[in-house]
Amino acid sequence: GTGKYKGMVEDCCCDYETVDNLNSEVLNPLLQDLVTTPFFRYYKVKLWCDCPFWPDDGMCRLRDCSVCECPENEFPEPFKKPFVPGLPSDDLMCQEGKPQGAVDRTIDNRAFRGWVETKNPWTHDDDTDSGEMTYVNLQLNPERYTGYTGPSARRIWDSIYSENCPKYSSGETCPEKKVLYKLISGLHSSISMHIASDYLLDESSNQWGQNIELMYDRILRHPDRVRNMYFTYLFVLRAVTKATAYLEQAEYDTGNHAEDLKTQSLIKQLLYSPKLQTACPVPFDEAKLWQGQSGPELKQQIQKQFRNISALMDCVGCEKCRLWGKLQVQGLGTALKILFSVGNQDIGDQTLQLQRNEVIALVNLLNRLSESVKMVHDMGPDVERLMEDQ
Ligand code: FAD
């Protein structure tokens, strides 16, 4: 072997081999089941092409680009109800007057307080105009090759990298500055993996399949892109495990009782997987960041850059790419919020609060990354050989 994928994932707490085994044996099978449950397969999204930066260039009409929206009667009923804003439910408020209130730790232990509309300082919020939101069945709209390419796609990636997350120089030692670049690069690798693994090989016969050359060309022959993908996977995994109490208690209610129990059970199996707890209990150590003197300003700057990236997703000129772009950037934004904003001033609250849609995005993003990591791993000796050919 080349040793390129040996040792620890950069800035993370687990090594490549452990991540591969944990992913293939435990996490990937659970995630694959989880994303098919009714709770996780419907995603609320504003799909309009309303880019504030450039005019529409007509890419939206590409055949493989269009998203199939759900018929109204397919959305889970509880998803349609408006959120009840304001106070936490009565049982929380009444605790204080009760004799047992003084020592009752339910208030502290109760992480989940119902789904709420809540701000995320890391993302560009456009959830306000709910009239323009649609529900999409993600299972019917797989992330794959769409034909979206050329200058339109290029300028999105270019502006993401050049304006919002400049590649750090090799001497850069500030880990905070590296994180944003690595997250985006890792996501980019994962998107490219999905394009290459589900590619339109022959247009006339509509034959789809794996495009190994593309996989090699875009990702595998760039070791840093593969490494960043593992990094992003562990980063998002850490966010999920950090939110264990919240995710365990959350209501996965879609009105389909049997399915919802299954969702709840899969979530628990994921969060409390013995293998995860022994092999990679802390996939990424967020506590090491923002400690320096300029920590708060640095965080604000990186937060602003990520918000810009999130806003840029409205400019992705292909509906299906925009769907997955928005979902995965929202998922990353949710991970950033869980890891860096809870217990801090910037969300004005010590406790974690997530929107239902954020949880759906987070888990679907983790699954996409998990699939990509598995694809790289499954190439096995081929990857090593390709790397040696370099
Ligand atoms: P691109 O992938 O466009 O990359 C542009 C440049 O970025 C490369 O030349 C390289 O310098 C750099 N780069 C590439 N990968 C990395 C990396 N991992 N880390 C750091 N730098 C890198 N197309 C689809 O077919 N289906 C989709 O679902 C889809 N979703 C998309 C979602 C978003 C948000 C965007 C912006 C584009 C999406 N596209 C999708 C388009 C796709 O990502 C490519 O842009 C397109 O296939 C053209 O690829 P390319 O070879 O020109 O390189």
Side-chain angles (χ1 to χ4, degrees), residues 12 17 66 84 96 242 257 272 300 305 342:
C12 287
E17 210 183 316
S66 55
V84 185
E96 273 176 27
K242 190 176 183 184
H257 193 58
Y272 293 109
Q300 290 234 309
Q305 288 173 336
V342 174

Side-chain angles (χ1 to χ4, degrees), residues 143-149 153-154 156-157 161 181 185 188-189 191-192 195 218 225 313 316 321 325:
E143 183 186 31
R144 46 142 82 164
Y145 172 80
T146 61
Y148 179 52
T149 179
R154 199 48 188 262
I156 309 276
W157 287 122
Y161 286 115
Y181 174 79
S185 168
H188 193 169
S189 304
I191 290 174
S192 302
I195 296 172
R218 294 213 186 155
R225 294 184 189 174
M313 290 303 113
V316 173
C321 313

Side-chain angles (χ1 to χ4, degrees), residues 28-43:
N28 187 264
L30 286 171
L31 287 163
Q32 293 284 299
D33 274 357
L34 205 47
V35 296
T36 63
T37 62
F39 183 86
F40 284 105
R41 72 172 176 252
Y42 297 102
Y43 181 62

Side-chain angles (χ1 to χ4, degrees), residues 64-65 142-150 152-158 160-161 167 181-182 184-192 194-196 198-199 214 217-219 222 224-226 228-229 312-313 316-318 320-326 328-329:
D64 296 314
C65 273
E143 183 186 31
R144 46 142 82 164
Y145 172 80
T146 61
Y148 179 52
T149 179
S152 169
R154 199 48 188 262
R155 75 184 166 192
I156 309 276
W157 287 122
D158 283 353
I160 288 175
Y161 286 115
K167 185 165 172 38
Y181 174 79
K182 292 204 294 187
I184 293 298
S185 168
L187 175 62
H188 193 169
S189 304
S190 179
I191 290 174
S192 302
H194 283 94
I195 296 172
D198 202 353
Y199 200 82
L214 198 72
D217 204 52
R218 294 213 186 155
I219 311 117
H222 307 273
D224 59 315
R225 294 184 189 174
V226 179
N228 292 337
M229 206 173 79
L312 264 168
M313 290 303 113
V316 173
C318 149
K320 204 183 276 175
C321 313
R322 192 155 60 246
L323 165 66
W324 284 103
K326 283 193 153 197
Q328 294 183 94
V329 167

